[in-house]
Amino acid sequence: EIAKVSEALSVMNSFAMKLSGNIHEKDQERKMSERKEMVETSIPFIMSALDGRIQDTGFVSEGTITIADILIEAFVTRFESGILDGVPEDILKPYKNINKCAENVRNHPKIKAYYASKS
């Protein structure tokens, strides 16, 4: 189980590094060109790989929430927010396991209690 979590974190970390470099790109034309490539190639490739690593339970590890699940939910939230110009808000919609994982995290009692304590 630890290997599954580690592998998912590695996949997300690789993408996060690529995205971080793009977010800080000063040349707007280059930034949007890189985003177009991400939308057409990188995101589908990486998210397909990640989607296949999520268990039928909707968690990376069998039925137990992990840091990998929380990070997946954060990725989904960022994409859905529309904050990334040139990246459709619904780009992750085709990935049923990723979306199931995000929903599981959002509905987890401890996560809900945490956010309730902050409001």
PDB file of all heavy atoms in Angstrom, residues 9-42:
ATOM      1  N   LEU A   9       2.034   9.883  -5.490  1.00  0.00           N
ATOM      2  CA  LEU A   9       2.668  11.144  -5.120  1.00  0.00           C
ATOM      3  C   LEU A   9       3.749  11.527  -6.127  1.00  0.00           C
ATOM      4  O   LEU A   9       3.895  12.702  -6.484  1.00  0.00           O
ATOM      5  CB  LEU A   9       3.261  11.058  -3.712  1.00  0.00           C
ATOM      6  CG  LEU A   9       2.256  11.028  -2.573  1.00  0.00           C
ATOM      7  CD1 LEU A   9       2.954  10.733  -1.250  1.00  0.00           C
ATOM      8  CD2 LEU A   9       1.476  12.326  -2.486  1.00  0.00           C
ATOM      9  N   SER A  10       4.484  10.546  -6.594  1.00  0.00           N
ATOM     10  CA  SER A  10       5.533  10.798  -7.583  1.00  0.00           C
ATOM     11  C   SER A  10       4.951  11.330  -8.888  1.00  0.00           C
ATOM     12  O   SER A  10       5.475  12.281  -9.480  1.00  0.00           O
ATOM     13  CB  SER A  10       6.331   9.512  -7.836  1.00  0.00           C
ATOM     14  OG  SER A  10       7.313   9.739  -8.806  1.00  0.00           O
ATOM     15  N   VAL A  11       3.855  10.718  -9.349  1.00  0.00           N
ATOM     16  CA  VAL A  11       3.188  11.165 -10.579  1.00  0.00           C
ATOM     17  C   VAL A  11       2.721  12.612 -10.414  1.00  0.00           C
ATOM     18  O   VAL A  11       2.955  13.456 -11.282  1.00  0.00           O
ATOM     19  CB  VAL A  11       1.996  10.239 -10.927  1.00  0.00           C
ATOM     20  CG1 VAL A  11       1.124  10.840 -12.010  1.00  0.00           C
ATOM     21  CG2 VAL A  11       2.498   8.863 -11.341  1.00  0.00           C
ATOM     22  N   MET A  12       2.086  12.907  -9.293  1.00  0.00           N
ATOM     23  CA  MET A  12       1.564  14.259  -9.073  1.00  0.00           C
ATOM     24  C   MET A  12       2.688  15.272  -8.889  1.00  0.00           C
ATOM     25  O   MET A  12       2.587  16.409  -9.355  1.00  0.00           O
ATOM     26  CB  MET A  12       0.605  14.268  -7.885  1.00  0.00           C
ATOM     27  CG  MET A  12      -0.699  13.547  -8.217  1.00  0.00           C
ATOM     28  SD  MET A  12      -1.896  13.596  -6.883  1.00  0.00           S
ATOM     29  CE  MET A  12      -1.107  12.566  -5.679  1.00  0.00           C
ATOM     30  N   ASN A  13       3.757  14.870  -8.219  1.00  0.00           N
ATOM     31  CA  ASN A  13       4.884  15.768  -8.019  1.00  0.00           C
ATOM     32  C   ASN A  13       5.531  16.144  -9.349  1.00  0.00           C
ATOM     33  O   ASN A  13       5.875  17.305  -9.567  1.00  0.00           O
ATOM     34  CB  ASN A  13       5.916  15.141  -7.084  1.00  0.00           C
ATOM     35  CG  ASN A  13       7.013  16.104  -6.734  1.00  0.00           C
ATOM     36  OD1 ASN A  13       6.761  17.225  -6.319  1.00  0.00           O
ATOM     37  ND2 ASN A  13       8.247  15.673  -6.916  1.00  0.00           N
ATOM     38  N   SER A  14       5.668  15.183 -10.239  1.00  0.00           N
ATOM     39  CA  SER A  14       6.247  15.462 -11.556  1.00  0.00           C
ATOM     40  C   SER A  14       5.409  16.496 -12.298  1.00  0.00           C
ATOM     41  O   SER A  14       5.946  17.439 -12.889  1.00  0.00           O
ATOM     42  CB  SER A  14       6.320  14.185 -12.390  1.00  0.00           C
ATOM     43  OG  SER A  14       7.211  13.273 -11.818  1.00  0.00           O
ATOM     44  N   PHE A  15       4.108  16.320 -12.251  1.00  0.00           N
ATOM     45  CA  PHE A  15       3.232  17.272 -12.930  1.00  0.00           C
ATOM     46  C   PHE A  15       3.250  18.628 -12.228  1.00  0.00           C
ATOM     47  O   PHE A  15       3.262  19.673 -12.874  1.00  0.00           O
ATOM     48  CB  PHE A  15       1.805  16.748 -13.039  1.00  0.00           C
ATOM     49  CG  PHE A  15       0.921  17.705 -13.775  1.00  0.00           C
ATOM     50  CD1 PHE A  15       1.098  17.918 -15.134  1.00  0.00           C
ATOM     51  CD2 PHE A  15      -0.051  18.421 -13.111  1.00  0.00           C
ATOM     52  CE1 PHE A  15       0.304  18.830 -15.820  1.00  0.00           C
ATOM     53  CE2 PHE A  15      -0.853  19.331 -13.794  1.00  0.00           C
ATOM     54  CZ  PHE A  15      -0.671  19.537 -15.151  1.00  0.00           C
ATOM     55  N   ALA A  16       3.272  18.624 -10.906  1.00  0.00           N
ATOM     56  CA  ALA A  16       3.284  19.873 -10.148  1.00  0.00           C
ATOM     57  C   ALA A  16       4.520  20.703 -10.486  1.00  0.00           C
ATOM     58  O   ALA A  16       4.440  21.930 -10.599  1.00  0.00           O
ATOM     59  CB  ALA A  16       3.226  19.601  -8.651  1.00  0.00           C
ATOM     60  N   MET A  17       5.650  20.047 -10.672  1.00  0.00           N
ATOM     61  CA  MET A  17       6.880  20.757 -11.031  1.00  0.00           C
ATOM     62  C   MET A  17       6.729  21.416 -12.407  1.00  0.00           C
ATOM     63  O   MET A  17       7.119  22.564 -12.601  1.00  0.00           O
ATOM     64  CB  MET A  17       8.074  19.806 -11.019  1.00  0.00           C
ATOM     65  CG  MET A  17       8.374  19.228  -9.647  1.00  0.00           C
ATOM     66  SD  MET A  17       8.795  20.475  -8.430  1.00  0.00           S
ATOM     67  CE  MET A  17      10.414  20.912  -8.986  1.00  0.00           C
ATOM     68  N   LYS A  18       6.149  20.688 -13.337  1.00  0.00           N
ATOM     69  CA  LYS A  18       5.930  21.234 -14.678  1.00  0.00           C
ATOM     70  C   LYS A  18       4.963  22.419 -14.620  1.00  0.00           C
ATOM     71  O   LYS A  18       5.208  23.466 -15.218  1.00  0.00           O
ATOM     72  CB  LYS A  18       5.386  20.136 -15.598  1.00  0.00           C
ATOM     73  CG  LYS A  18       5.144  20.589 -17.016  1.00  0.00           C
ATOM     74  CD  LYS A  18       4.715  19.426 -17.890  1.00  0.00           C
ATOM     75  CE  LYS A  18       4.542  19.896 -19.309  1.00  0.00           C
ATOM     76  NZ  LYS A  18       5.301  19.137 -20.258  1.00  0.00           N
ATOM     77  N   LEU A  19       3.892  22.262 -13.885  1.00  0.00           N
ATOM     78  CA  LEU A  19       2.892  23.317 -13.767  1.00  0.00           C
ATOM     79  C   LEU A  19       3.458  24.539 -13.049  1.00  0.00           C
ATOM     80  O   LEU A  19       3.218  25.677 -13.458  1.00  0.00           O
ATOM     81  CB  LEU A  19       1.653  22.794 -13.037  1.00  0.00           C
ATOM     82  CG  LEU A  19       0.478  23.744 -12.932  1.00  0.00           C
ATOM     83  CD1 LEU A  19      -0.007  24.177 -14.304  1.00  0.00           C
ATOM     84  CD2 LEU A  19      -0.654  23.078 -12.156  1.00  0.00           C
ATOM     85  N   SER A  20       4.238  24.323 -12.019  1.00  0.00           N
ATOM     86  CA  SER A  20       4.823  25.421 -11.259  1.00  0.00           C
ATOM     87  C   SER A  20       5.728  26.276 -12.146  1.00  0.00           C
ATOM     88  O   SER A  20       5.672  27.508 -12.102  1.00  0.00           O
ATOM     89  CB  SER A  20       5.626  24.872 -10.080  1.00  0.00           C
ATOM     90  OG  SER A  20       6.238  25.922  -9.375  1.00  0.00           O
ATOM     91  N   GLY A  21       6.539  25.620 -12.959  1.00  0.00           N
ATOM     92  CA  GLY A  21       7.394  26.368 -13.872  1.00  0.00           C
ATOM     93  C   GLY A  21       6.576  27.210 -14.832  1.00  0.00           C
ATOM     94  O   GLY A  21       6.924  28.353 -15.142  1.00  0.00           O
ATOM     95  N   ASN A  22       5.454  26.665 -15.272  1.00  0.00           N
ATOM     96  CA  ASN A  22       4.593  27.386 -16.202  1.00  0.00           C
ATOM     97  C   ASN A  22       3.892  28.558 -15.522  1.00  0.00           C
ATOM     98  O   ASN A  22       3.779  29.634 -16.091  1.00  0.00           O
ATOM     99  CB  ASN A  22       3.567  26.433 -16.822  1.00  0.00           C
ATOM    100  CG  ASN A  22       2.598  27.159 -17.710  1.00  0.00           C
ATOM    101  OD1 ASN A  22       1.506  27.518 -17.277  1.00  0.00           O
ATOM    102  ND2 ASN A  22       3.000  27.401 -18.953  1.00  0.00           N
ATOM    103  N   ILE A  23       3.431  28.374 -14.317  1.00  0.00           N
ATOM    104  CA  ILE A  23       2.728  29.435 -13.597  1.00  0.00           C
ATOM    105  C   ILE A  23       3.624  30.655 -13.447  1.00  0.00           C
ATOM    106  O   ILE A  23       3.163  31.789 -13.538  1.00  0.00           O
ATOM    107  CB  ILE A  23       2.230  28.924 -12.221  1.00  0.00           C
ATOM    108  CG1 ILE A  23       1.054  27.963 -12.426  1.00  0.00           C
ATOM    109  CG2 ILE A  23       1.839  30.077 -11.305  1.00  0.00           C
ATOM    110  CD1 ILE A  23       0.623  27.227 -11.179  1.00  0.00           C
ATOM    111  N   HIS A  24       4.907  30.432 -13.249  1.00  0.00           N
ATOM    112  CA  HIS A  24       5.844  31.532 -13.020  1.00  0.00           C
ATOM    113  C   HIS A  24       6.495  32.052 -14.302  1.00  0.00           C
ATOM    114  O   HIS A  24       7.338  32.946 -14.228  1.00  0.00           O
ATOM    115  CB  HIS A  24       6.905  31.104 -12.004  1.00  0.00           C
ATOM    116  CG  HIS A  24       6.313  30.752 -10.681  1.00  0.00           C
ATOM    117  ND1 HIS A  24       5.739  31.697  -9.848  1.00  0.00           N
ATOM    118  CD2 HIS A  24       6.153  29.564 -10.051  1.00  0.00           C
ATOM    119  CE1 HIS A  24       5.272  31.101  -8.768  1.00  0.00           C
ATOM    120  NE2 HIS A  24       5.503  29.811  -8.861  1.00  0.00           N
ATOM    121  N   GLU A  25       6.083  31.514 -15.447  1.00  0.00           N
ATOM    122  CA  GLU A  25       6.617  31.972 -16.735  1.00  0.00           C
ATOM    123  C   GLU A  25       6.182  33.421 -16.983  1.00  0.00           C
ATOM    124  O   GLU A  25       5.000  33.735 -16.904  1.00  0.00           O
ATOM    125  CB  GLU A  25       6.125  31.061 -17.868  1.00  0.00           C
ATOM    126  CG  GLU A  25       6.517  31.505 -19.257  1.00  0.00           C
ATOM    127  CD  GLU A  25       8.001  31.582 -19.468  1.00  0.00           C
ATOM    128  OE1 GLU A  25       8.694  30.568 -19.216  1.00  0.00           O
ATOM    129  OE2 GLU A  25       8.476  32.656 -19.881  1.00  0.00           O
ATOM    130  N   LYS A  26       7.136  34.268 -17.270  1.00  0.00           N
ATOM    131  CA  LYS A  26       6.844  35.698 -17.490  1.00  0.00           C
ATOM    132  C   LYS A  26       6.376  35.983 -18.920  1.00  0.00           C
ATOM    133  O   LYS A  26       5.553  36.869 -19.133  1.00  0.00           O
ATOM    134  CB  LYS A  26       8.091  36.531 -17.200  1.00  0.00           C
ATOM    135  CG  LYS A  26       8.635  36.342 -15.800  1.00  0.00           C
ATOM    136  CD  LYS A  26       8.254  37.477 -14.917  1.00  0.00           C
ATOM    137  CE  LYS A  26       8.925  37.353 -13.566  1.00  0.00           C
ATOM    138  NZ  LYS A  26       8.032  37.031 -12.516  1.00  0.00           N
ATOM    139  N   ASP A  27       6.874  35.232 -19.878  1.00  0.00           N
ATOM    140  CA  ASP A  27       6.505  35.418 -21.284  1.00  0.00           C
ATOM    141  C   ASP A  27       5.121  34.816 -21.508  1.00  0.00           C
ATOM    142  O   ASP A  27       4.938  33.599 -21.531  1.00  0.00           O
ATOM    143  CB  ASP A  27       7.550  34.744 -22.180  1.00  0.00           C
ATOM    144  CG  ASP A  27       7.275  34.896 -23.662  1.00  0.00           C
ATOM    145  OD1 ASP A  27       6.101  35.003 -24.058  1.00  0.00           O
ATOM    146  OD2 ASP A  27       8.249  34.882 -24.436  1.00  0.00           O
ATOM    147  N   GLN A  28       4.108  35.676 -21.658  1.00  0.00           N
ATOM    148  CA  GLN A  28       2.707  35.235 -21.758  1.00  0.00           C
ATOM    149  C   GLN A  28       2.482  34.318 -22.955  1.00  0.00           C
ATOM    150  O   GLN A  28       1.733  33.344 -22.860  1.00  0.00           O
ATOM    151  CB  GLN A  28       1.778  36.450 -21.815  1.00  0.00           C
ATOM    152  CG  GLN A  28       0.324  36.127 -21.604  1.00  0.00           C
ATOM    153  CD  GLN A  28       0.017  35.599 -20.207  1.00  0.00           C
ATOM    154  OE1 GLN A  28       0.764  35.762 -19.256  1.00  0.00           O
ATOM    155  NE2 GLN A  28      -1.111  34.932 -20.079  1.00  0.00           N
ATOM    156  N   GLU A  29       3.119  34.613 -24.082  1.00  0.00           N
ATOM    157  CA  GLU A  29       2.950  33.781 -25.269  1.00  0.00           C
ATOM    158  C   GLU A  29       3.503  32.377 -25.029  1.00  0.00           C
ATOM    159  O   GLU A  29       2.871  31.381 -25.369  1.00  0.00           O
ATOM    160  CB  GLU A  29       3.657  34.431 -26.464  1.00  0.00           C
ATOM    161  CG  GLU A  29       3.357  33.748 -27.786  1.00  0.00           C
ATOM    162  CD  GLU A  29       3.964  34.499 -28.964  1.00  0.00           C
ATOM    163  OE1 GLU A  29       3.870  35.733 -28.999  1.00  0.00           O
ATOM    164  OE2 GLU A  29       4.522  33.800 -29.830  1.00  0.00           O
ATOM    165  N   ARG A  30       4.654  32.313 -24.408  1.00  0.00           N
ATOM    166  CA  ARG A  30       5.254  31.009 -24.092  1.00  0.00           C
ATOM    167  C   ARG A  30       4.394  30.259 -23.061  1.00  0.00           C
ATOM    168  O   ARG A  30       4.179  29.062 -23.178  1.00  0.00           O
ATOM    169  CB  ARG A  30       6.674  31.207 -23.567  1.00  0.00           C
ATOM    170  CG  ARG A  30       7.357  29.902 -23.256  1.00  0.00           C
ATOM    171  CD  ARG A  30       8.786  30.096 -22.861  1.00  0.00           C
ATOM    172  NE  ARG A  30       9.358  28.816 -22.504  1.00  0.00           N
ATOM    173  CZ  ARG A  30      10.595  28.643 -22.182  1.00  0.00           C
ATOM    174  NH1 ARG A  30      11.444  29.644 -22.202  1.00  0.00           N
ATOM    175  NH2 ARG A  30      11.025  27.459 -21.836  1.00  0.00           N
ATOM    176  N   LYS A  31       3.909  30.992 -22.058  1.00  0.00           N
ATOM    177  CA  LYS A  31       3.072  30.387 -21.015  1.00  0.00           C
ATOM    178  C   LYS A  31       1.848  29.711 -21.644  1.00  0.00           C
ATOM    179  O   LYS A  31       1.533  28.562 -21.348  1.00  0.00           O
ATOM    180  CB  LYS A  31       2.617  31.443 -20.008  1.00  0.00           C
ATOM    181  CG  LYS A  31       1.688  30.899 -18.931  1.00  0.00           C
ATOM    182  CD  LYS A  31       1.154  31.995 -18.030  1.00  0.00           C
ATOM    183  CE  LYS A  31       2.165  32.303 -16.985  1.00  0.00           C
ATOM    184  NZ  LYS A  31       1.632  33.163 -15.908  1.00  0.00           N
ATOM    185  N   MET A  32       1.169  30.448 -22.544  1.00  0.00           N
ATOM    186  CA  MET A  32      -0.041  29.902 -23.145  1.00  0.00           C
ATOM    187  C   MET A  32       0.271  28.760 -24.106  1.00  0.00           C
ATOM    188  O   MET A  32      -0.506  27.805 -24.216  1.00  0.00           O
ATOM    189  CB  MET A  32      -0.839  31.009 -23.827  1.00  0.00           C
ATOM    190  CG  MET A  32      -1.360  32.067 -22.836  1.00  0.00           C
ATOM    191  SD  MET A  32      -2.116  31.396 -21.322  1.00  0.00           S
ATOM    192  CE  MET A  32      -3.610  30.703 -21.988  1.00  0.00           C
ATOM    193  N   SER A  33       1.408  28.818 -24.779  1.00  0.00           N
ATOM    194  CA  SER A  33       1.834  27.728 -25.649  1.00  0.00           C
ATOM    195  C   SER A  33       2.088  26.461 -24.822  1.00  0.00           C
ATOM    196  O   SER A  33       1.689  25.361 -25.211  1.00  0.00           O
ATOM    197  CB  SER A  33       3.094  28.132 -26.421  1.00  0.00           C
ATOM    198  OG  SER A  33       3.579  27.052 -27.170  1.00  0.00           O
ATOM    199  N   GLU A  34       2.738  26.622 -23.692  1.00  0.00           N
ATOM    200  CA  GLU A  34       2.992  25.485 -22.791  1.00  0.00           C
ATOM    201  C   GLU A  34       1.681  24.936 -22.233  1.00  0.00           C
ATOM    202  O   GLU A  34       1.516  23.722 -22.098  1.00  0.00           O
ATOM    203  CB  GLU A  34       3.915  25.904 -21.655  1.00  0.00           C
ATOM    204  CG  GLU A  34       5.343  26.148 -22.092  1.00  0.00           C
ATOM    205  CD  GLU A  34       6.227  26.692 -20.971  1.00  0.00           C
ATOM    206  OE1 GLU A  34       5.722  26.945 -19.847  1.00  0.00           O
ATOM    207  OE2 GLU A  34       7.438  26.874 -21.226  1.00  0.00           O
ATOM    208  N   ARG A  35       0.752  25.808 -21.907  1.00  0.00           N
ATOM    209  CA  ARG A  35      -0.550  25.352 -21.389  1.00  0.00           C
ATOM    210  C   ARG A  35      -1.305  24.568 -22.448  1.00  0.00           C
ATOM    211  O   ARG A  35      -1.947  23.563 -22.147  1.00  0.00           O
ATOM    212  CB  ARG A  35      -1.386  26.534 -20.897  1.00  0.00           C
ATOM    213  CG  ARG A  35      -0.758  27.204 -19.707  1.00  0.00           C
ATOM    214  CD  ARG A  35      -1.661  27.244 -18.512  1.00  0.00           C
ATOM    215  NE  ARG A  35      -0.943  27.828 -17.399  1.00  0.00           N
ATOM    216  CZ  ARG A  35      -1.346  28.862 -16.705  1.00  0.00           C
ATOM    217  NH1 ARG A  35      -2.493  29.442 -16.997  1.00  0.00           N
ATOM    218  NH2 ARG A  35      -0.631  29.313 -15.702  1.00  0.00           N
ATOM    219  N   LYS A  36      -1.216  25.024 -23.691  1.00  0.00           N
ATOM    220  CA  LYS A  36      -1.873  24.304 -24.790  1.00  0.00           C
ATOM    221  C   LYS A  36      -1.305  22.893 -24.886  1.00  0.00           C
ATOM    222  O   LYS A  36      -2.049  21.918 -25.021  1.00  0.00           O
ATOM    223  CB  LYS A  36      -1.669  25.066 -26.105  1.00  0.00           C
ATOM    224  CG  LYS A  36      -2.366  24.457 -27.308  1.00  0.00           C
ATOM    225  CD  LYS A  36      -2.149  25.333 -28.552  1.00  0.00           C
ATOM    226  CE  LYS A  36      -2.941  24.901 -29.750  1.00  0.00           C
ATOM    227  NZ  LYS A  36      -2.724  23.586 -30.235  1.00  0.00           N
ATOM    228  N   GLU A  37       0.017  22.774 -24.792  1.00  0.00           N
ATOM    229  CA  GLU A  37       0.659  21.457 -24.819  1.00  0.00           C
ATOM    230  C   GLU A  37       0.183  20.614 -23.638  1.00  0.00           C
ATOM    231  O   GLU A  37      -0.102  19.430 -23.782  1.00  0.00           O
ATOM    232  CB  GLU A  37       2.189  21.609 -24.788  1.00  0.00           C
ATOM    233  CG  GLU A  37       2.951  20.280 -24.854  1.00  0.00           C
ATOM    234  CD  GLU A  37       3.032  19.537 -23.527  1.00  0.00           C
ATOM    235  OE1 GLU A  37       3.113  20.186 -22.465  1.00  0.00           O
ATOM    236  OE2 GLU A  37       3.001  18.293 -23.544  1.00  0.00           O
ATOM    237  N   MET A  38       0.095  21.221 -22.469  1.00  0.00           N
ATOM    238  CA  MET A  38      -0.372  20.489 -21.286  1.00  0.00           C
ATOM    239  C   MET A  38      -1.787  19.955 -21.498  1.00  0.00           C
ATOM    240  O   MET A  38      -2.071  18.807 -21.184  1.00  0.00           O
ATOM    241  CB  MET A  38      -0.340  21.385 -20.050  1.00  0.00           C
ATOM    242  CG  MET A  38       1.010  21.557 -19.451  1.00  0.00           C
ATOM    243  SD  MET A  38       0.855  22.441 -17.877  1.00  0.00           S
ATOM    244  CE  MET A  38       2.126  23.651 -18.071  1.00  0.00           C
ATOM    245  N   VAL A  39      -2.663  20.806 -22.012  1.00  0.00           N
ATOM    246  CA  VAL A  39      -4.060  20.431 -22.233  1.00  0.00           C
ATOM    247  C   VAL A  39      -4.154  19.288 -23.248  1.00  0.00           C
ATOM    248  O   VAL A  39      -4.936  18.355 -23.068  1.00  0.00           O
ATOM    249  CB  VAL A  39      -4.899  21.648 -22.682  1.00  0.00           C
ATOM    250  CG1 VAL A  39      -6.257  21.231 -23.227  1.00  0.00           C
ATOM    251  CG2 VAL A  39      -5.067  22.627 -21.523  1.00  0.00           C
ATOM    252  N   GLU A  40      -3.360  19.367 -24.286  1.00  0.00           N
ATOM    253  CA  GLU A  40      -3.444  18.376 -25.362  1.00  0.00           C
ATOM    254  C   GLU A  40      -2.668  17.093 -25.081  1.00  0.00           C
ATOM    255  O   GLU A  40      -3.044  16.034 -25.575  1.00  0.00           O
ATOM    256  CB  GLU A  40      -2.949  18.994 -26.670  1.00  0.00           C
ATOM    257  CG  GLU A  40      -3.853  20.106 -27.165  1.00  0.00           C
ATOM    258  CD  GLU A  40      -3.298  20.844 -28.378  1.00  0.00           C
ATOM    259  OE1 GLU A  40      -2.152  20.559 -28.804  1.00  0.00           O
ATOM    260  OE2 GLU A  40      -4.023  21.713 -28.907  1.00  0.00           O
ATOM    261  N   THR A  41      -1.591  17.186 -24.290  1.00  0.00           N
ATOM    262  CA  THR A  41      -0.711  16.026 -24.137  1.00  0.00           C
ATOM    263  C   THR A  41      -0.452  15.639 -22.680  1.00  0.00           C
ATOM    264  O   THR A  41      -0.783  14.535 -22.257  1.00  0.00           O
ATOM    265  CB  THR A  41       0.639  16.307 -24.841  1.00  0.00           C
ATOM    266  OG1 THR A  41       0.381  16.698 -26.183  1.00  0.00           O
ATOM    267  CG2 THR A  41       1.512  15.066 -24.844  1.00  0.00           C
ATOM    268  N   SER A  42       0.168  16.531 -21.942  1.00  0.00           N
ATOM    269  CA  SER A  42       0.628  16.192 -20.584  1.00  0.00           C
ATOM    270  C   SER A  42      -0.499  15.825 -19.630  1.00  0.00           C
ATOM    271  O   SER A  42      -0.424  14.805 -18.934  1.00  0.00           O
ATOM    272  CB  SER A  42       1.427  17.350 -19.983  1.00  0.00           C
ATOM    273  OG  SER A  42       2.556  17.631 -20.736  1.00  0.00           O
TER     274      SER A  42
END
